[in-house]
Amino acid sequence: MIILVTGSAGPTGEAVTGYFTKHGHTVIGVDKDDVDLLDRAAIQDLAERIEKEHGHVDGVVHLVGGWRGAKSFAETDLGDWDALHDLLVRTLQHVSLAFEPLLRRSANGRFVIVSAKAAERPTAGGAAYAAAKAASEAWTLSLADALRDTGSAAVILVVKALVNDAMRAAKPDARFAGFTDVSDLAEAIGGLYDRPAADINGTRLDLTT
């Protein structure tokens, strides 16, 4: 399979890339140093290059993220919204618009984003983050509707937060209660290929339960 991982340079991207590579798939990893995901033309060019080389894409795992918050609702800085909109929403829009046609050609394609419990239960100081995550989910569900009656599916994986080995090493006494390990996230993404596209398209799979 041909798997595109956006936001591939961080621990989560490394875990997902490692999972698919270990299972013999071709992984195309891109990060901000490779392609500017806020540049619509650059993303379209990437899609065209992948199409020319491979003809289709079997997976797009969109891992671009970020978090900003405030001490209270009234202290919310709308500059945080601007930043999170670009990180969480605009990059998703560019990637999904460019790669939807390629996913339609896959016999078993998956488009995956990682969302947060905050989208359904926002805190007072987390308005900007929760709103951006909710917008990302709505956009992905629209993509799912576009992929109906194809072999591909768009899926939202929901976590409280993610944890990796470096975080545990930095805070050995921390419990990270309810966090999802990046390796478990990678396995959950891989497991989406074991289920029919029609069964999971447009679903929110909660990894915290």
Side-chain angles (χ1 to χ4, degrees):
M1 294 192 299
I2 310 300
I3 309 294
L4 173 70
V5 178
T6 55
S8 61
T12 307
E14 291 174 356
V16 173
T17 297
Y19 175 90
F20 282 105
T21 300
K22 181 178 68 176
H23 287 79
H25 305 300
T26 298
V27 178
I28 302 166
V30 297
D31 208 79
K32 60 183 179 181
D33 292 334
D34 304 305
V35 179
D36 181 3
L37 298 181
L38 291 174
D39 185 336
R40 176 75 169 88
I43 297 302
Q44 191 63 47
D45 180 65
L46 174 65
E48 290 173 1
R49 284 188 278 122
I50 293 175
E51 179 182 22
K52 183 177 181 179
E53 183 173 354
H54 302 287
H56 66 280
V57 164
D58 302 297
V60 176
V61 184
H62 188 64
L63 299 176
V64 178
W67 185 88
R68 293 191 182 190
K71 292 181 179 179
S72 69
F73 183 81
E75 294 174 278
T76 297
D77 182 349
L78 290 181
D80 289 346
W81 163 256
D82 293 338
L84 291 169
H85 173 269
D86 280 351
L87 281 171
L88 304 181
V89 182
R90 186 64 76 196
T91 62
L92 168 63
Q93 291 172 330
H94 289 170
V95 172
S96 59
L97 288 170
F99 283 91
E100 186 261 2
L102 278 72
L103 284 167
R104 295 182 68 86
R105 298 176 198 166
S106 172
N108 192 32
R110 300 290 182 269
F111 187 99
V112 184
I113 68 164
V114 179
S115 190
K117 297 291 284 185
E120 58 191 86
R121 302 191 72 177
T123 61
Y129 176 74
K133 281 294 189 182
S136 298
E137 289 197 16
W139 187 272
T140 302
L141 294 176
S142 292
L143 172 62
D145 189 54
L147 294 175
R148 282 188 308 163
D149 302 322
T150 73
S152 293
V155 183
I156 300 162
L157 298 183
V158 181
V159 301
K160 175 182 178 181
L162 295 170
V163 64
N164 57 67
D165 290 342
M167 292 169 62
R168 290 193 178 93
K171 295 183 177 180
D173 296 327
R175 294 180 57 235
F176 298 105
F179 285 35
T180 300
D181 192 278
V182 293
S183 62
D184 293 331
L185 174 72
E187 289 189 13
I189 294 171
L192 297 176
Y193 288 90
D194 298 328
R195 303 173 60 181
D199 289 355
I200 58 174
N201 189 37
T203 59
R204 299 175 76 254
L205 302 181
D206 193 336
L207 301 185
T208 68
T209 57

